[in-house]
Amino acid sequence: LAKTTQPISMDSYEGQEVNITCSHNNIATNDYITWYQQFPSQGPRFIIQGYKTKVTNEVASLFIPADRKSSTLSLPRVSLSDTAVYYCLVGRYSGGGADGLTFGKGTHLIIQP
Amino acid sequence: DSGVTQTPKHLITATGQRVTLRCSPRSEDLSVYWYQQSLDQGLQFLIHYYNGEERAKGNILERFSAQQFPDLHSELNLSSLELGDSALYFCASSVESGGLSSTDTQYFGPGTRLTVL
């Protein structure tokens, strides 16, 4: 099952586009890629999910290259309220394993005025 | 509001004690997941139940146990509490049984903040 690697922290300014990349070299054929957002003292919230190429919703875009060994969450024109921790999850599980539920420490995104 | 409820919101207790945290999933969800989040460990998966049956275990201590009842609410029991058990405990629910399947999304509750003194 895939493990993910994300930057520990990033910062940017209001109005900028922010891209957070997640590496998942061992992604399996059936694995989907899911991103969550978490504000302090709140539970994570689903942002976007994809399998390949590009997915876009009202909040973000998710870019996945052909080899699927990485993915990039893109947040357009960020605001101060986008300051949060972002988690990349990959995979599903079968049997007793649960690697696909490993949130880890995520990427701390700080947006400055 | 995710539709997932957790009680209590805050809990302060002493070392050696036992506590029970409760989670009610969204009405349409059969799966309940429990997570522990401490400052230094990030969000750690503990255990997953689907329709009353245990589906997977993560980093759950032997002092901890959980169950999912016929009405699908779940309880996480923490016993012989230690200072290091102080953390935020989240539950999440989803429709499907297999964790991160193609359409599965987890909906998280607001969490229970446990402080062990």
Side-chain angles (χ1 to χ4, degrees):
Chain A
L1 294 169
K3 284 185 66 175
T4 62
T5 303
Q6 304 175 234
I8 295 173
S9 68
M10 297 177 66
D11 60 8
S12 186
Y13 294 93
E14 282 190 292
Q16 299 296 304
E17 177 185 78
V18 170
N19 296 311
I20 305 174
T21 297
C22 178
S23 296
H24 29 81
N25 291 319
N26 298 320
I27 190 169
T29 303
N30 295 331
D31 288 343
Y32 277 68
I33 301 155
T34 310
W35 286 80
Y36 286 81
Q37 174 194 55
Q38 186 182 25
F39 298 113
S41 297
Q42 295 184 25
R45 182 176 69 107
F46 172 86
I47 300 176
I48 196 165
Q49 184 182 74
Y51 182 79
K52 62 180 179 180
T53 63
K54 177 183 175 181
V55 178
T56 297
N57 61 21
E58 65 277 6
V59 176
S61 294
L62 179 59
F63 298 92
I64 305 167
D67 66 5
R68 304 201 327 118
K69 294 184 183 297
S70 67
S71 59
T72 299
L73 174 72
S74 181
L75 305 173
R77 294 183 297 282
V78 293
S79 64
L80 296 177
S81 62
D82 292 316
T83 294
V85 178
Y86 292 82
Y87 298 95
C88 162
L89 277 78
V90 173
R92 57 199 301 170
Y93 65 80
S94 61
D99 283 4
L101 294 169
T102 302
F103 276 73
K105 297 187 178 182
T107 297
H108 292 247
L109 176 64
I110 299 171
I111 305 302
Q112 303 180 43
Chain B
D1 183 4
S2 66
V4 178
T5 61
Q6 289 186 250
T7 56
K9 187 173 178 62
H10 300 279
L11 189 52
I12 301 174
T13 189
T15 55
Q17 295 300 303
R18 172 189 170 95
V19 297
T20 297
L21 313 184
R22 182 187 171 103
C23 170
S24 293
R26 298 186 318 153
S27 58
E28 61 268 50
D29 292 347
L30 297 178
S31 272
V32 170
Y33 310 78
W34 285 97
Y35 293 85
Q36 178 193 56
Q37 186 170 42
S38 56
L39 284 175
D40 58 344
Q41 291 294 321
L43 194 60
Q44 300 286 317
F45 166 69
L46 296 179
I47 198 165
H48 168 209
Y49 277 84
Y50 172 75
N51 203 22
E53 294 187 3
E54 182 184 303
R55 286 280 285 138
K57 276 186 173 180
N59 299 320
I60 188 166
L61 301 172
E62 287 191 9
R63 300 183 285 110
F64 297 0
S65 65
Q67 55 183 327
Q68 186 180 27
F69 294 88
D71 67 353
L72 300 178
H73 90 272
S74 178
E75 293 181 355
L76 179 67
N77 301 295
L78 316 175
S79 62
S80 303
L81 285 168
E82 302 175 358
L83 296 178
D85 297 328
S86 295
L88 264 171
Y89 290 85
F90 289 104
C91 83
S93 70
S94 72
V95 172
E96 300 195 31
S97 64
L100 294 177
S101 62
S102 61
T103 58
D104 190 51
T105 297
Q106 292 184 60
Y107 296 87
F108 282 79
T112 293
R113 182 173 294 280
L114 173 66
T115 302
V116 183
L117 301 176

